[in-house]
């Protein structure tokens, strides 16, 4: 909530990156990729949306820069990248793979990347303990999904073989 403009909301499509924004109860009309027009009190102003939910999202009205989604710090990036890296490392280290085999490669990379994006989106303005819990939950979820894929593929292989 902004003191001068009221409630500012923004939605971003995670697949296409297209954004929709509202200032107060007025929907912004898209003119270019990041430029929108905002009509209020019979005045039309150009408004810019810079960034994304991953890199931090800012609304620029005239000379004023309003933070919608704060920019993540280096710890947020590091913790959110852990599920992806642990899935990849787990798959390529034979000693770890013998403990608990998981589906790696493209499937493991995709699941790990999805877990990393979810972790980064969920750890905004949280305490360190909550950030660690989110990272742990995303990593365990990614491992369980990769293990389920491995079980599925092995089962289908043996069903097709016999």
């Amino acid at each position: 909530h902004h003191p001068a403009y009221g409630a500012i909301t923004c939605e971003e499509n995670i697949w296409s990156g297209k954004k929709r924004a509202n200032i107060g109860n007025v929907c912004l009309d898209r003119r270019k990729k990041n430029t929108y027009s905002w009509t209020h009190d019979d005045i039309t102003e150009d408004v810019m949306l810079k960034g994304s939910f991953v890199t931090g999202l800012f609304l620029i009205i005239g000379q004023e820069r309003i933070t919608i989604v704060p920019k993540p710090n280096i710890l947020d990036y590091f913790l959110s990248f852990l599920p992806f890296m642990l899935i990849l490392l787990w798959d390529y280290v034979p000693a770890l793979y013998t403990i608990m085999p998981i589906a790696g490669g493209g499937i493991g990379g995709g699941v790990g990347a999805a877990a990393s994006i979810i972790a980064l989106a969920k750890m905004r303005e949280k305490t360190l303990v909550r950030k660690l819990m989110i990272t742990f939950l995303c990593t365990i979820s990614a491992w369980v999904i990769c293990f389920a894929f491995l079980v599925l593929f092995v089962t289908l292989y043996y069903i097709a073989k016999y």
Side-chain angles (χ1 to χ4, degrees):
H1 193 273
H2 192 271
Y5 303 114
I8 300 173
T9 58
C10 184
E11 296 176 8
E12 181 178 8
N13 185 323
I14 194 166
W15 303 111
S16 67
K18 289 186 178 180
K19 300 175 187 86
R20 287 187 311 207
N22 295 327
I23 300 177
N25 291 329
V26 179
C27 185
L28 301 180
D29 296 321
R30 186 175 179 170
R31 297 177 67 194
K32 295 180 186 173
K33 183 177 180 182
N34 292 328
T35 306
Y36 297 81
S37 63
W38 174 44
T39 305
H40 63 97
D41 301 329
D42 296 330
I43 300 170
T44 301
E45 291 186 61
D46 283 340
V47 176
M48 292 186 70
L49 279 172
K50 292 279 191 172
S52 69
F53 284 102
V54 175
T55 61
L57 186 62
F58 306 95
L59 180 72
I60 301 171
I61 304 173
Q63 299 297 323
E64 188 174 2
R65 180 178 169 146
I66 302 165
T67 302
I68 297 175
V69 176
K71 184 177 179 180
N73 60 32
I74 214 67
L75 179 66
D76 293 345
Y77 284 123
F78 176 76
L79 289 176
S80 67
F81 196 59
L82 278 178
F84 177 73
M85 284 307 300
L86 290 176
I87 292 292
L88 290 181
L89 289 175
W90 196 277
D91 188 45
Y92 292 110
V93 176
L96 294 174
Y97 190 80
T98 57
I99 295 170
M100 180 182 169
I102 59 171
I107 293 172
V111 170
S116 292
I117 290 170
I118 291 168
L120 184 61
K122 294 295 180 188
M123 65 175 55
R124 301 297 174 136
E125 297 185 21
K126 305 272 195 279
T127 63
L128 179 60
V129 173
R130 291 202 54 183
K131 289 179 182 184
L132 292 172
M133 286 177 20
I134 290 168
T135 302
F136 178 75
L137 289 174
C138 287
T139 303
I140 294 300
S141 299
W143 272 347
V144 168
I145 291 169
C146 287
F147 184 72
F149 269 114
L150 182 71
V151 169
L152 174 70
F153 293 145
V154 169
T155 304
L156 291 176
Y157 171 78
Y158 281 110
I159 289 173
K161 187 176 179 181
Y162 298 108

